[in-house]
Amino acid sequence: MAERARVAVLISGRGSNMAALIYAARAADCPFEVALVTGDRPDAPGLALAEAEGIEVERIAYDKSTFFQTLESLLSDKTIEIIALAGFMRLIPPAFIARWAGRIVNIHPSLLPRHKGLRTHEAVLAAGERVTGASVHLVSEEVDSGELLGQVEVAVLPGDTAETLAERVLIAEHQLYPRVLAQFVGRERDPAWIEARVGALALALPETSFKTSHGAPAWRVGSESSGKLFAILFNRHHGEDSVGVLVKASGQDEMAQLIDAEPEIYFRPAYYGPSDWIGIRLDRSNVDWDHVAEWLARSWRACAPPRLTKLLRAAEEF
Ligand code: GAR
């Protein structure tokens, strides 16, 4: 199995959802690990619990002007890939969200898009809802509005108060969050998902088509008879552990340099390596897909017939 995704859990209080994530991650087949717990309140009870469970904890005293900067460097030191908010009650600045786009998840105690914001259970009761629930979603700039990743329904009982309802919704949250986070992390490591994503980028380049190369999904530029491969999906071939895409480097020197500088991103694929194919690992949660698109375009340029590259140069100059 590929390495587990390194998740940082951010809390402001009790941390029962955090605990649910920690205990779920103890299963041998869980695709994520809780690599760090932190938050905006050094005295949050959840931090002491995480510590007792042997999880790395960092206490950051909240300061409006420095908190998110301190957090950012901490996350980078600990090579965190995904942030899971679990009752983290601060608004996150847009620039931070943009840098972590698609990599911050949150749990909210309602069936979003219904009842965003605070005092959710009071709002559910005041609206006379028969059913409420919990939602896990990606964090976007607008509060409680990012892509929904999963939901669970919870019945509202006659006589429920905000407290009794919160208690039952919390049980549902504890089931939902680990399951959805595992699915979310798993989807980014799933070879079929990776292939679809690479394929969409490869086929967006001019005169490209799909073909298989020794059984591996691959993309070619040019015609069926004279076209050349410029990208090959690599899925743990020849006993290697990586899932990635192979693209054309300029030569052995460049390959050696890149692999030496960033071994967590680049690898030398068995069999293809000697003909200047370099591997870019894609079974990670922090893949920079713009960077992958740039490599595909570069590889396309190296393989495309002159008539196409001329066209492209003309378009670029235009
Ligand atoms: C949970 O119910 C969570 O859904 C909610 O805070 C509680 C935290 O409890 N989050 C929000 O309302 C976010 N807007 P916990 O600290 O025991 O996990």
Side-chain angles (χ1 to χ4, degrees):
M1 184 169 109
E3 277 167 36
R4 307 208 283 165
R6 292 174 61 77
V7 173
V9 183
L10 264 56
I11 64 171
S12 296
R14 175 179 53 181
S16 71
N17 277 290
M18 168 211 76
L21 294 175
I22 290 173
Y23 300 135
R26 288 196 172 152
D29 62 350
C30 182
F32 63 83
E33 65 177 303
V34 179
L36 176 70
V37 175
T38 187
D40 60 324
R41 279 190 35 208
D43 62 343
L47 295 181
L49 171 61
E51 239 159 16
E53 294 295 359
I55 306 289
E56 213 171 313
V57 168
E58 289 284 342
R59 291 189 162 75
I60 313 175
Y62 186 77
D63 175 308
K64 196 169 186 272
S65 60
T66 60
F67 178 79
F68 283 96
Q69 248 171 318
T70 311
L71 178 64
E72 183 85 59
S73 54
L74 182 62
L75 298 171
S76 136
D77 285 353
K78 308 280 179 201
T79 57
I80 295 302
E81 301 169 279
I82 302 277
I83 300 172
L85 307 180
F88 181 71
M89 293 306 191
R90 297 270 174 195
L91 286 179
I92 302 181
F96 186 99
I97 294 177
R99 268 195 304 283
W100 285 83
R103 293 190 290 139
I104 311 179
V105 295
N106 181 42
I107 186 153
H108 181 80
S110 80
L111 290 177
L112 290 173
R114 293 216 286 277
H115 309 298
K116 300 175 180 178
L118 298 175
R119 307 194 75 74
T120 320
H121 305 295
E122 284 88 340
V124 166
L125 293 173
E129 309 264 20
R130 295 289 187 77
V131 175
T132 182
S135 307
V136 174
H137 63 97
L138 283 177
V139 172
S140 60
E141 216 177 289
E142 201 184 325
V143 174
D144 298 333
S145 301
E147 180 190 335
L148 278 173
L149 300 175
Q151 292 187 311
V152 59
E153 290 188 353
V154 174
V156 178
L157 300 183
D160 256 339
T161 62
E163 289 70 34
T164 57
L165 192 53
E167 224 171 85
R168 262 192 346 279
V169 170
L170 196 62
I171 297 171
E173 291 182 46
H174 297 165
Q175 302 289 321
L176 180 74
Y177 208 174
R179 175 165 63 74
V180 173
L181 185 58
Q183 262 167 9
F184 174 67
V185 162
R187 113 179 157 180
E188 296 194 310
R189 280 143 206 267
D190 172 7
W193 187 86
I194 292 173
E195 179 185 333
R197 194 125 193 208
V198 171
L201 293 174
L203 294 175
L205 294 161
E207 277 196 41
T208 49
S209 52
F210 176 85
K211 82 176 261 158
T212 51
S213 161
H214 303 284
W219 295 269
R220 114 185 111 198
V221 48
S223 67
E224 201 163 316
S225 54
S226 64
K228 269 177 140 184
L229 292 182
F230 69 100
I232 303 169
L233 200 84
F234 187 92
N235 185 2
R236 302 192 179 92
H237 298 310
H238 305 283
E240 287 184 49
D241 192 31
S242 308
V243 180
V245 64
L246 309 187
V247 286
K248 279 282 189 178
S250 64
Q252 297 293 311
D253 286 350
E254 185 189 26
M255 275 178 72
Q257 230 168 29
L258 290 172
I259 293 166
D260 194 45
E262 293 182 289
E264 66 290 351
I265 296 182
Y266 296 105
F267 65 96
R268 183 186 170 82
Y271 178 68
Y272 290 96
S275 32
D276 301 339
W277 289 100
I278 189 167
I280 304 174
R281 280 198 57 180
L282 298 176
D283 52 349
R284 307 174 284 132
S285 298
N286 51 356
V287 171
D288 177 348
W289 284 95
D290 291 338
H291 179 238
V292 175
E294 279 162 28
W295 262 109
L296 288 169
R298 191 186 138 175
S299 191
W300 180 94
R301 233 177 254 131
C303 302
R307 112 191 121 73
L308 283 180
T309 47
K310 247 188 260 155
L311 268 181
L312 192 77
R313 265 202 299 278
E316 276 168 358
E317 275 161 27
F318 183 74

